[in-house]
Amino acid sequence: MQQGKTREAIEFINKAIEKDDANADAFNLRGVAYYELKEYPSALLDFGQAIKIKPTSYRPYFNRALLYTDENKLDSAFADYNKSAELAPDTADVFLNRGQLLVLMERPTEAIADFEKATKLDDNNKMAWYNLGNTYYRNKDYKKATLAFRQTVRLDAAYGKAFYGLGLAQWNDGEKDLGCTNLKQALNVGYSDAANALAQFCK
């Protein structure tokens, strides 16, 4: 069903491109459709064409970076996110995504800087807060991880994975009771991994 709709969308966009082959947004949109269908070579061509027509738009760089990340071409993805950040310095998702890429590249300090920038640009970006908490946690900075996870669950009270992270961060920071309370909450909202942590830490 979804694929059928995407195919229909491509036919519709083809007509728009036939009428105006200098429409960068149409090429970018068709690139996204091909990307969703995992037809990466076609998507790459369209993102490239969108960039050629309108090199000042960040979206085709941003979308191509997603594609490169999926293909494990991390350096190429990083270059495209850098260009996106240059063109759209006020867009939180650019920094969120570049941060996630930096985590994959095992550059946590730079990743933290990007996640923090994303939270400053958009205080309600729960994924930026969650990723910030996660990266602090991996760096064993449990106090800062706790603050970031707290902000995440404030934005989404049903986000079990964030309660799980919060519980573990608090437990590791010596706040054992609080940690166990949040691990229980993670389980309550359906995050089943919390059961193991509760069995291990909160007997």
Side-chain angles (χ1 to χ4, degrees):
M1 178 68 188
Q2 185 60 46
Q3 288 217 340
K5 278 196 170 166
T6 308
R7 283 268 170 244
E8 282 165 30
I10 288 171
E11 282 169 33
F12 183 73
I13 301 162
N14 286 343
K15 286 177 186 146
I17 289 171
E18 276 165 32
K19 279 186 191 160
D20 177 10
D21 65 0
N23 185 336
D25 291 341
F27 279 103
N28 179 56
L29 201 58
R30 191 172 68 179
V32 171
Y34 280 131
Y35 171 68
E36 282 176 6
L37 292 168
K38 296 200 166 17
E39 293 179 15
Y40 292 162
S42 298
L44 268 179
L45 283 172
D46 276 352
F47 293 143
Q49 189 60 22
I51 287 164
K52 202 165 148 188
I53 296 165
K54 195 175 174 187
T56 54
S57 169
Y58 85 92
R59 288 195 177 278
Y61 292 103
F62 182 85
N63 292 328
R64 191 169 67 178
L66 290 170
L67 190 159
Y68 280 142
T69 306
D70 282 359
E71 291 192 318
N72 207 31
K73 294 176 180 167
L74 303 188
D75 290 334
S76 298
F78 188 57
D80 273 353
Y81 280 135
N82 288 345
K83 190 68 184 170
S84 301
E86 186 190 308
L87 293 168
D90 299 332
T91 303
D93 279 348
V94 170
F95 296 96
L96 166 60
N97 282 33
R98 189 173 70 178
Q100 289 172 321
L101 180 69
L102 285 161
V103 169
L104 285 177
M105 296 170 92
E106 294 178 5
R107 291 158 67 174
T109 308
E110 291 164 82
I112 283 168
D114 269 359
F115 295 141
E116 287 190 331
K117 172 106 176 160
T119 63
K120 284 188 178 78
L121 289 168
D122 177 8
D123 194 35
N124 293 320
N125 191 320
K126 77 168 184 187
M127 289 314 297
W129 285 109
Y130 175 77
N131 279 279
L132 182 59
N134 218 17
T135 313
Y136 273 135
Y137 183 85
R138 284 183 184 175
N139 272 12
K140 297 187 167 50
D141 191 339
Y142 300 123
K143 273 193 176 36
K144 284 185 177 170
T146 295
L147 290 172
F149 284 133
R150 257 204 207 118
Q151 193 66 10
T152 314
V153 299
R154 192 180 68 76
L155 292 166
D156 183 355
Y159 195 1
K161 211 172 173 182
F163 278 108
Y164 177 71
L166 177 58
L168 289 180
Q170 288 171 321
W171 197 91
N172 280 292
D173 197 37
E175 300 271 8
K176 305 270 193 277
D177 291 347
L178 268 177
C180 289
T181 301
N182 281 308
L183 286 170
K184 279 180 195 138
Q185 184 58 20
L187 195 60
N188 288 344
V189 293
Y191 191 68
S192 55
D193 283 14
N196 294 335
L198 279 165
Q200 195 179 341
F201 301 128
C202 307
K203 292 185 181 74

